[in-house]
Amino acid sequence: MSVLVITGTGTEVGKTVTTAAVAAAALAAGRSVAVLKPAQTGVRPDERGDADEVARLAGAVTTRELARYPEPLAPATAARRAGMRAVRPHEVAEAAAELAAGHDLVLVEGAGGLLVRFDDEGGTLADAARLLAAPVLVVSAAGLGTLNSTELTARELRQRGLELAGVVIGSWPVPADLASRCNLADLPVVAGSPLLGALPAGAGTHPPAGFRAAAPGWLAPRLGGTWDAGAFTSEFAS
């Protein structure tokens, strides 16, 4: 079973566009891809969610949501306020396993960070990853403050016995400031795991055809791309 769980160090760090890039690279390599969004918040029933955005950018992926809540809050809070049923980690794991039976790769995109609660019992994306025995890809911000949040996420993964696949910078600024340039070297150190890509700021605004063509160049070979961490770091080191 090939499942990759994708989390972030917080909100608005580029999880969805990173998920789309990983999906696009896999599709370009001839793999079938499914995208699972356990809990979509802040979106009305008639609006496009994150899984829909991944499909728009990446192409022919199978998408599935387990729950959708109208308010832009943590899933447990959004479910409680809406009087709706919460998602449980075992349901996420079961849905991912079901999708994996018919696809080469399943991408499970969380909401917010690793420990954002799905339910009032404290279930999280980390619990779903444990049930799946799946590696976790962490999407981080580029600039000031990212080292602390990335290290905390990496430590929590290891304390839970989960595999940290690596770190991707979800939005690389142009021009890059001093903190962002320094963080290229520091992020893999604090994470204890390699840097596996950097998506340019605004990548999600690319036309779908351009996004799909460019996506492999934003990701390291471990994620199906051609991005070279050493070359990228050297370019921005000074």
Side-chain angles (χ1 to χ4, degrees):
M1 180 169 65
S2 183
V3 178
L4 179 65
V5 174
I6 300 178
T7 191
T9 54
T11 58
E12 304 300 325
V13 295
K15 287 189 306 297
T16 298
V17 71
T18 298
T19 301
V22 175
L27 289 170
R31 305 176 73 190
S32 57
V33 180
V35 176
L36 174 63
K37 183 74 177 183
Q40 175 70 64
T41 65
V43 177
R44 298 191 308 267
D46 60 335
E47 290 183 311
R48 296 174 61 86
D50 291 343
D52 299 315
E53 179 65 5
V54 172
R56 183 186 74 83
L57 289 170
V61 300
T62 299
T63 61
R64 185 173 177 188
E65 282 181 8
L66 298 187
R68 176 176 285 212
Y69 308 113
E71 294 180 313
L73 302 168
T77 306
R80 185 170 61 250
R81 284 178 53 84
M84 298 173 67
R85 185 177 178 279
V87 174
R88 300 313 202 263
H90 74 86
E91 295 171 326
V92 179
E94 289 165 3
E98 181 181 312
L99 289 167
H103 297 82
D104 298 320
L105 176 64
V106 178
L107 303 174
V108 183
E109 183 193 344
L114 181 69
L115 299 185
V116 169
R117 294 189 172 199
F118 284 145
D119 56 42
D120 286 336
E121 288 69 49
T124 66
L125 186 67
D127 296 315
R130 179 181 55 80
L131 291 170
L132 287 162
V136 179
L137 181 68
V138 174
V139 181
S140 297
L144 199 63
T146 195
L147 298 180
N148 180 67
S149 55
T150 301
E151 184 165 1
L152 288 172
T153 301
R155 285 188 182 187
E156 184 65 25
L157 286 168
R158 291 197 173 87
Q159 287 174 0
R160 290 171 175 257
L162 298 172
E163 178 188 348
L164 173 53
V167 176
V168 170
I169 296 172
S171 180
W172 180 255
V174 178
D177 61 14
L178 178 61
S180 297
R181 298 198 307 272
C182 290
N183 287 341
L184 285 174
D186 292 337
L187 275 169
V189 174
V190 301
S193 192
L195 195 59
L196 295 182
L199 277 66
T205 65
H206 286 39
F211 183 93
R212 296 165 197 172
W218 302 330
L219 301 170
R222 192 175 300 187
L223 294 176
T226 59
W227 184 80
D228 186 325
F232 191 86
T233 300
S234 296
E235 179 182 353
F236 291 100
S238 59

